[in-house]
Amino acid sequence: MDYSIRMIRADEWEKVRELRLAALQDPVAAIAFLETYEDAAGRPDGFWQERAAGSAETGPGRVRQFVAETPDGRWIGTVTVLVERPSDDVRFGEPAKVDQTHLVGVFVRPEARGGGVIDALFRAAVEWSWTLPEPEIRRVRLYVHEDNARAAAFYRRFGFVPTGDKVAMPGSETEFELEYEVPRPA
């Protein structure tokens, strides 16, 4: 499958919405995302416009969404990168101990899986993390549900290692998200 990887543009909010809704219909969405299809589908256009503007190539700099796009303009996969600093509000678990990025919203359409799309998306996201001039990113992290073996296998193959940290899934005391990281190369 032919595709390219790029950051989204602010005016692409409708495609951002469509791909997110497709992701939330995936069979593992309940353990891979922290929202439901119904909640996301009910959000107003303004929410999606703001989301796209905030994570676009020309956005304010703390969030970037990468997409895999086919030559005909169809988006077949995505990953979003959040910049986290020790002085930031807590997003997941504990405050950041170092300047880091956090990969979220990972999704590849079923028909595009197995063709290297996720590898290309992750390369772009991690490389972007290392090239930030300020702050200098010390690690890239992500969380994966303890039962999401497919995702965990990819993360390990890509070079992420478990840190041993975990956080409870919202609303559950028995289900956990496991933290994985890639430290900055020496």
Side-chain angles (χ1 to χ4, degrees):
M1 179 175 282
D2 191 20
Y3 61 88
S4 60
I5 304 296
R6 67 172 177 84
M7 291 181 208
I8 69 163
R9 293 183 291 274
D11 65 348
E12 295 179 309
W13 65 270
E14 290 172 301
K15 284 186 166 185
V16 168
R17 177 181 57 197
E18 188 279 325
L19 191 60
R20 180 62 170 204
L21 293 177
L24 291 171
Q25 291 177 317
D26 188 270
V28 297
I31 61 172
F33 296 96
L34 300 179
E35 72 177 328
T36 66
Y37 174 86
E38 293 74 23
D39 288 341
R43 295 187 189 278
D45 290 351
F47 170 85
W48 298 104
Q49 292 163 354
E50 187 175 305
R51 186 175 192 152
S55 61
E57 185 172 20
T58 58
R62 300 290 305 259
V63 180
R64 289 292 181 271
Q65 183 175 356
F66 291 85
V67 291
E69 182 178 43
T70 61
D72 65 358
R74 185 165 188 258
W75 288 4
I76 57 171
T78 187
V79 63
T80 298
V81 186
L82 311 173
V83 176
E84 298 176 325
R85 305 197 73 181
S87 60
D88 290 346
D89 291 335
V90 176
R91 285 197 177 127
F92 298 93
E94 301 177 358
K97 295 177 181 77
V98 297
D99 291 325
Q100 62 191 20
T101 57
H102 187 153
L103 306 186
V104 298
V106 178
F107 175 69
V108 173
R109 292 183 190 272
E111 67 273 16
R113 293 179 186 157
V117 173
I118 191 68
D119 293 88
L121 284 164
F122 265 60
R123 271 193 306 279
V126 170
E127 287 172 12
W128 181 80
S129 298
W130 300 147
T131 62
L132 285 173
E134 181 65 30
E136 182 181 67
I137 300 302
R138 304 308 310 156
R139 74 181 190 141
V140 178
R141 77 167 177 169
L142 55 80
Y143 282 94
V144 62
H145 189 282
E146 61 190 342
D147 293 335
N148 195 343
R150 178 184 78 192
F154 167 74
Y155 301 145
R156 285 190 303 276
R157 183 176 60 76
F158 193 85
F160 281 83
V161 295
T163 66
D165 288 346
K166 64 182 180 177
V167 295
M169 289 287 292
S172 175
E173 296 178 14
T174 59
E175 292 183 86
F176 295 92
E177 295 255 355
L178 309 176
E179 183 186 59
Y180 283 65
E181 71 173 358
V182 170
R184 183 178 192 89

